[in-house]
Amino acid sequence: SGLICNVVYNNRFIAPILRAKQLIDEGRLGRILSFSCEYLHNSCTDVNRPAGWKQNRDICGGGVLFDLGSHVIDLLGFLCGRFVGVSGMSQIAYPIRKGRNGEEWKTNADESFYLMGKTAEGACGTITVGKLQVGTNDDLSFEIYGEKGALRFSLMEPNWLYYYDNTSAASPMGGVRGFTKIECVGRYPDPQGLFPSPKASSGWLRGHISSMYNFLNSVYCGIQTAPDFNDGAYVQCIMDAAYKSAETRMWVKVDE
């Protein structure tokens, strides 16, 4: 159609994740070997809480894999490369709970989902997404390990990115090798970095604002930017493959 289209994969636009992408693109990690990512909520831990529309597969097409997993799959594709194969396992811990009308209802959507994946470049890793994890809030975290370095991030600490430089000097009682805590706070390219102050603390909402800016600026400039509908279609393809794997208990290859 020629129209500018984006998908709200807002986690791409959190400052530490943009910094992680920059470090990876600069080759600071070298060839990526492995990764792990978790996105955990506690919203399914109360069996007396009526199920919402996101827990009804008849309405939304999937469970927590669609809701939280879509963001993780996009994020790892953004940072580590796209998957060429997946193996998935779904979990429903509470088959019977209250429905939206307060009456007994049989759960038909996954409450947690566990996935293994391999990228085209050969990196292997795991994804855990769930709403059964007591004590969690909006706990998105990842670890990425390469030949030359590693990265760690947690959305519960949104101002920081942890970077390990394996090329730094090391010795039993000296050297500087170790995870470095990089402050990212509100450091965005101008004009996004002008307000609020780049010194201001960051958070979940800041990624959404940056995501909206990316889209509106794309429309204004007439230039298509990512994440676009191709990225959305890729994520849908991976989720469909993951559900197929969970049903067949087999590894599922993904056609590029």
Side-chain angles (χ1 to χ4, degrees), residues 48-156:
N48 295 313
R49 177 183 176 183
W53 67 270
K54 290 184 179 181
Q55 294 166 268
N56 190 337
R57 193 167 181 171
D58 297 335
I59 296 175
C60 61
V64 71
L65 179 63
F66 271 24
D67 185 16
L68 303 182
S70 55
H71 289 280
V72 173
I73 291 167
D74 174 74
L75 187 59
L76 288 175
F78 179 59
L79 295 174
C80 300
R82 291 189 168 186
F83 293 130
V84 294
V86 295
S87 175
M89 181 175 66
S90 65
Q91 178 186 20
I92 295 177
Y94 302 106
I96 304 296
R97 63 168 66 238
K98 289 184 179 180
R100 301 178 73 186
N101 59 3
E103 298 179 1
E104 190 176 90
W105 179 74
K106 186 176 180 180
T107 305
N108 65 358
D110 41 292
E111 298 169 327
S112 279
F113 200 94
Y114 311 91
L115 186 146
M116 292 189 297
K118 182 177 182 179
T119 70
E121 292 75 25
C124 299
T126 61
I127 292 173
T128 299
V129 292
K131 297 183 177 181
L132 296 170
Q133 286 69 27
V134 173
T136 59
N137 292 288
D138 192 37
D139 289 22
L140 170 64
S141 61
F142 65 76
E143 298 182 354
I144 301 173
Y145 300 97
E147 292 180 322
K148 295 168 58 178
L151 294 169
R152 289 177 179 170
F153 170 75
S154 170
L155 188 55
M156 292 294 100

Side-chain angles (χ1 to χ4, degrees), residues 14-245:
I14 298 169
I17 291 177
L18 291 173
R19 186 77 173 101
K21 175 65 171 173
Q22 183 183 47
L23 291 171
I24 290 171
D25 289 348
E26 290 174 352
R28 300 291 188 92
L29 269 63
R31 182 167 65 100
I32 295 176
L33 303 177
S34 67
F35 56 85
S36 63
C37 189
E38 296 183 339
Y39 202 173
L40 309 177
H41 283 191
N42 66 359
S43 50
C44 286
T45 57
D46 183 1
V47 295
N48 295 313
R49 177 183 176 183
W53 67 270
K54 290 184 179 181
Q55 294 166 268
N56 190 337
R57 193 167 181 171
D58 297 335
I59 296 175
C60 61
V64 71
L65 179 63
F66 271 24
D67 185 16
L68 303 182
S70 55
H71 289 280
V72 173
I73 291 167
D74 174 74
L75 187 59
L76 288 175
F78 179 59
L79 295 174
C80 300
R82 291 189 168 186
F83 293 130
V84 294
V86 295
S87 175
M89 181 175 66
S90 65
Q91 178 186 20
I92 295 177
Y94 302 106
I96 304 296
R97 63 168 66 238
K98 289 184 179 180
R100 301 178 73 186
N101 59 3
E103 298 179 1
E104 190 176 90
W105 179 74
K106 186 176 180 180
T107 305
N108 65 358
D110 41 292
E111 298 169 327
S112 279
F113 200 94
Y114 311 91
L115 186 146
M116 292 189 297
K118 182 177 182 179
T119 70
E121 292 75 25
C124 299
T126 61
I127 292 173
T128 299
V129 292
K131 297 183 177 181
L132 296 170
Q133 286 69 27
V134 173
T136 59
N137 292 288
D138 192 37
D139 289 22
L140 170 64
S141 61
F142 65 76
E143 298 182 354
I144 301 173
Y145 300 97
E147 292 180 322
K148 295 168 58 178
L151 294 169
R152 289 177 179 170
F153 170 75
S154 170
L155 188 55
M156 292 294 100
E157 295 184 87
N159 297 304
W160 309 97
L161 175 68
Y162 291 84
Y163 167 58
Y164 185 94
D165 186 356
N166 199 43
T167 67
S168 297
S171 67
M173 294 296 292
V176 293
R177 188 178 297 179
F179 273 97
T180 300
K181 189 176 181 181
I182 302 174
E183 62 173 30
C184 298
V185 287
R187 304 193 192 285
Y188 287 85
D190 292 340
Q192 293 186 73
L194 299 176
F195 182 84
S197 167
K199 297 180 180 180
S201 59
S202 188
W204 177 87
L205 188 60
R206 189 65 178 86
H208 268 290
I209 293 172
S210 185
S211 174
M212 292 176 186
Y213 170 83
N214 178 69
F215 171 65
L216 294 173
N217 190 59
S218 296
V219 173
Y220 177 76
C221 296
I223 300 173
Q224 180 64 58
T225 58
D228 60 18
F229 281 10
N230 287 318
D231 295 304
Y234 157 74
V235 170
Q236 186 65 50
C237 177
I238 298 301
M239 293 190 300
D240 289 345
Y243 276 133
K244 181 179 179 181
S245 173

